[in-house]
Amino acid sequence: MKVARTIKEVREQVTEWKKQGLTVGLVPTMGYLHEGHASLVDKAVSMCDRVVASDFVNPTQFGPNEDLESYPRDFEHDCRLLEEHGCDMVFYPSVDEMYPDGGGKTDTYVEILDDMPKQLCGKTRPIHFRGVCTVVAKLFNIVLPDKAFFGQKDAQQLAIIKRMVRDMSYGIEIVGCPIVREEDGLAKSSRNTYLNEEERKAALVLSKAVFAGKKMVQDGERSADKLVEAMKEIISKEPMAKIDYVSAVSGRDMSTLKVLEGEILVAMAVYIGKTRLIDNFMMEVEK
Ligand code: PAF
């Protein structure tokens, strides 16, 4: 697997592949890779001739009091996992390579101005999705992929990227991949590593609420308020859990739902100790 640290190296390699008529898939990541990321690489390998993963902790998507400095990093481990799963090139840029003004700052952003990025995670992370869109747009411009792969665990991110691709006329197919869970149900996340033993057990309350919520909708519940209340009730039984939000929204534009119909997204962010975890389920509910 090739390790590219500069934009120039990526461009040269991708140009070479494109000359040979090969299709290119991109898996954007912030590193500290786990089986969730591996499943994105597997999907990309199955759909594209060549696969590029990016491994970059993006400063512009972290707010001032968030975990940018402490975000876990292990590039050697990442390389092993990527190589095992058939990735052809990893793009591992420095902050200055991505943001040439220095200090991880930029004056040029890509931002969706409607309500979509202000809902759910956007309520407490107001600049987060502007940073995500900006770095993903840059990665699209650098790699020029045919397809790009994102996890459904970050369902709001996935919907926002799809919207950005439509609005900015990127000719890139966005492929959403299912949440990968630990055996006991906890959704895989690089942030799980922050949890101590007791918190790790408490964190199970997220998937417990997700599974119970999903069953309620499958069993016919159509009131969004009742569903959200029932899920909050489950979470509040865990003393270490502090709810940031539990919401039932439209999977397309993140608008709040009263009636559970159409493409629904039921998403949550919950603090377990100091660690903020997210989980969700999506469903197509017949009208
Ligand atoms: O999902 C992530 O890990 C990040 O938000 C992404 C898409 C790699 C952009 O930094």
Side-chain angles (χ1 to χ4, degrees):
M1 181 181 67
K2 186 181 170 87
V3 177
R5 288 170 198 267
T6 64
I7 295 169
K8 185 165 175 278
E9 282 170 272
V10 176
R11 289 210 166 113
E12 280 171 3
Q13 179 62 81
V14 172
T15 305
E16 191 51 46
W17 287 335
K18 295 221 163 168
K19 261 193 218 152
Q20 295 168 34
L22 302 170
T23 59
V24 177
L26 171 67
V27 181
T29 85
M30 296 209 301
Y32 214 72
L33 305 180
H34 49 69
E35 284 154 50
H37 299 107
S39 75
L40 302 181
V41 176
D42 291 344
K43 188 77 182 166
V45 167
S46 76
M47 293 177 74
C48 305
D49 298 319
R50 293 291 180 269
V51 173
V52 181
S54 59
D55 188 322
F56 178 63
V57 181
N58 172 38
T60 63
Q61 70 189 72
F62 287 79
N65 299 315
E66 293 178 3
D67 56 345
L68 173 61
E69 298 310 324
S70 60
Y71 196 83
R73 293 159 165 92
D74 187 347
F75 184 58
E76 273 177 32
H77 160 84
D78 293 347
C79 283
R80 275 197 301 277
L81 179 140
L82 290 171
E83 196 149 24
E84 268 168 35
H85 286 266
C87 178
D88 298 283
M89 174 162 69
V90 59
F91 178 39
Y92 184 57
S94 65
V95 170
D96 287 351
E97 180 70 10
M98 289 299 275
Y99 295 108
D101 286 342
K105 294 199 165 50
T106 180
D107 291 326
T108 306
Y109 288 99
V110 177
E111 184 174 13
I112 296 176
L113 292 177
D114 87 345
D115 271 355
M116 210 171 167
K118 299 191 187 103
Q119 308 298 329
L120 308 180
C121 289
K123 286 194 176 146
T124 49
R125 306 188 74 192
I127 62 153
H128 176 67
F129 290 111
R130 182 183 78 167
V132 169
C133 284
T134 302
V135 80
V136 171
K138 285 167 74 68
L139 291 167
F140 286 174
N141 294 335
I142 294 164
V143 179
L144 302 175
D146 298 281
K147 300 182 200 300
F149 298 79
F150 294 86
Q152 281 162 357
K153 183 163 91 60
D154 296 297
Q156 187 177 13
Q157 168 172 283
L158 176 60
I160 285 172
I161 301 286
K162 283 185 179 161
R163 176 75 186 274
M164 176 186 84
V165 162
R166 190 200 73 176
D167 289 356
M168 299 303 290
S169 312
Y170 279 111
I172 299 171
E173 184 190 338
I174 302 302
V175 183
C177 303
I179 296 177
V180 178
R181 296 182 181 279
E182 304 285 355
E183 257 177 43
D184 60 7
L186 180 68
K188 299 232 181 205
S189 164
S190 306
R191 289 191 169 96
N192 291 349
T193 172
Y194 297 147
L195 303 170
N196 65 28
E197 213 176 306
E198 212 185 335
E199 290 170 338
R200 172 66 183 76
K201 277 190 203 139
L204 281 181
V205 76
L206 281 91
S207 51
K208 200 173 159 196
V210 162
F211 298 151
K214 197 168 181 180
K215 179 149 191 322
M216 277 178 76
V217 184
Q218 279 164 347
D219 289 348
E221 183 58 74
R222 292 295 174 264
S223 158
D225 286 349
K226 279 192 190 153
L227 175 74
V228 166
E229 274 320 305
M231 290 172 69
K232 281 186 173 168
E233 174 102 23
I234 293 172
I235 299 166
S236 53
K237 289 209 174 101
E238 170 50 61
M240 295 185 93
K242 197 174 132 263
I243 296 174
D244 177 356
Y245 68 82
V246 179
S247 300
V249 298
S250 147
R252 276 178 212 287
D253 62 9
M254 310 290 119
S255 58
T256 308
L257 294 177
K258 280 267 160 235
V259 182
L260 301 166
E261 276 180 358
E263 192 183 317
I264 67 160
L265 165 65
V266 182
M268 64 175 70
V270 176
Y271 283 94
I272 302 291
K274 286 202 168 94
T275 307
R276 186 177 177 279
L277 300 175
I278 57 173
D279 203 342
N280 70 72
F281 68 94
M282 290 188 85
M283 254 168 101
E284 189 63 50
V285 182
E286 263 183 49
K287 291 196 178 170

